[in-house]
Every structure is written in structure tokens, then in C-alpha cells.
Amino acid sequence: MVKSRSETRAHIVETAARLLGDDGAAALTIRAVAQAAGLQPPALYRFFEDKDALLDAVAEHVFTAYVAGKAVAEDGDPVEDLRAGWDAHLAFGLANAVLFGLLVTPGRTSPAAEAGLAVLRARVHRVAETGRLRVPESLAVDLIHAAGTGAVLTALARAPEHRDPGVADALFEAVLARIVTGAPVPPAAPAELAKLTGAERALLAEWLDRD
């Protein structure tokens, strides 16, 4: 059965992603990918300008699959859901160092990365809905995103045996202390609370949390 152009391109990207995961970045050559995909090397240039373009496509493919699995919990503690998202982000970055570097390149636009940010915004919004967010949602998202990116890049800068997981844990706790109050707003007077803005609920939560 003859594959369409889009099917052939997808096959190449999936093959390259598998090679990258199995053998590392050094194994990802045009010749190796073509051979593994059952194609002649010149055929790949009909789909990708060069190896960097192929890597970009692989990064988008792998991260899209990762984001698709990042479901936002509809119940349970939203702060713990934030923590789970943080842990998943670190695990992905450390397991996909080359791709992570591509995805966080300044100025690079990635639909998959934007989808990942949308998931983070949804998680932060759940915290805000409980009245536990002490800063605007946009600031909370930026702080978590910046800290998460920095935590992964800091870890990747060290050899695996010299990485201290406590650094990322401490960074997350510092961000959490900055953006989240210690206790949710009590469920009393829901009609009155419903009239408050997110910022007003966060301020009320901060007052209630004070000793």
C-alpha cells in the first residue's frame, strides 16, 4: 500500500523519535533515520531541509504526545495536581534533553509548548477557584513555568550522578510559598464569594490565613 506524503512524513518522524530515545542524539543522522524508515537518504530531504528541521519535527511530535497525556484533574487537591505536573515536567525534560533544549529555545514558537502552557493555566485556575492563589493567575503561571524550565536546565547542566533532586524540590516549594496560601477559603457564604473577583478571593484567603 502506497503511503501518502503526510503518512510518510509521520513515519519518518516516529522513526527518528524512536532512534533518539533508544540510541541518543548521536544516532540521529539522516542516513540512519532513512535506513530505519526503509527509505533512501535523499528521500528525507523532500520532507526536511536538514537534520535540524527533522529534530524540530521530532521535538514537536514527542512533546505533543506528552502534553496529550497531561490531563488536568477535575477533583482532588489542586495544589497536589500542580505538584504532579511539576514532577512530570521534570521527568520529561531529563528524559528528553535534546528535545527539551529545542522546545525552550528563545523565540521558537511551538504549538505543543503552547498546549502545555494551557494545561498549566488550567491547573493554576483550579487553585484560584478554591481561593488559595495569592497572586494573579498569569503571574503564577509565569513563575511556575520559569522555575520549571530553570530546574530542568540546571539539572541537565550536570552529569546524572551529580544531580541533586533536592534543588528542584526546594525551587518548587519556594514558588508554591509565593503563590499559594496555606488554607482554602472556607465554603461559607458561597453566594457572597461568587461575586468576588479572583484577586479579591485571593486577598481574602491571605487575610484568613494570617495568624
Side-chain angles (χ1 to χ4, degrees):
M1 181 178 178
V2 179
K3 293 182 178 179
S4 67
R5 179 177 176 82
S6 61
E7 288 174 331
T8 300
R9 185 183 188 280
H11 174 60
I12 294 170
V13 171
E14 290 166 2
T15 300
R18 185 175 67 252
L19 281 177
L20 184 64
D22 291 344
D23 302 318
L28 204 67
T29 65
I30 292 293
R31 180 175 296 277
V33 173
Q35 183 177 3
L39 300 168
Q40 294 297 317
L44 267 67
Y45 291 105
R46 295 202 295 268
F47 299 89
F48 306 99
E49 180 181 355
D50 51 27
K51 179 181 173 180
D52 287 342
L54 175 59
L55 268 175
D56 281 344
V58 172
E60 195 70 23
H61 169 73
V62 173
F63 196 64
T64 296
Y66 162 68
V67 170
K70 291 177 64 178
V72 179
E74 296 182 0
D75 53 17
D77 186 344
V79 175
E80 287 306 311
D81 191 37
L82 270 183
R83 189 184 302 275
W86 173 274
D87 291 341
H89 175 80
L90 290 177
F92 174 86
L94 295 180
N96 300 275
V98 174
L99 301 186
F100 188 85
L102 288 173
L103 289 165
V104 299
T105 300
R108 186 179 188 277
T109 300
S110 164
E114 285 300 315
L117 275 174
V119 173
L120 175 57
R121 292 187 190 102
R123 285 191 163 116
V124 168
H125 184 65
R126 285 194 66 227
V127 178
E129 287 182 322
T130 68
R132 295 182 65 181
L133 202 62
R134 67 167 80 243
V135 299
E137 291 183 38
S138 59
L139 176 58
V141 169
D142 286 347
L143 287 172
I144 296 170
H145 182 248
T149 300
V152 173
L153 293 178
T154 298
L156 290 176
R158 294 178 174 272
E161 64 271 19
H162 295 143
R163 293 171 188 165
D164 181 1
V167 172
D169 291 341
L171 187 55
F172 179 75
E173 292 300 331
V175 172
L176 204 62
R178 174 70 178 86
I179 68 174
V180 176
T181 63
V185 174
E192 288 80 358
L193 289 178
K195 299 176 183 178
L196 299 178
T197 66
E200 288 169 337
R201 288 197 300 272
L203 182 59
L204 177 59
E206 182 176 351
W207 286 342
L208 293 173
D209 191 46
R210 290 177 179 173
D211 294 331

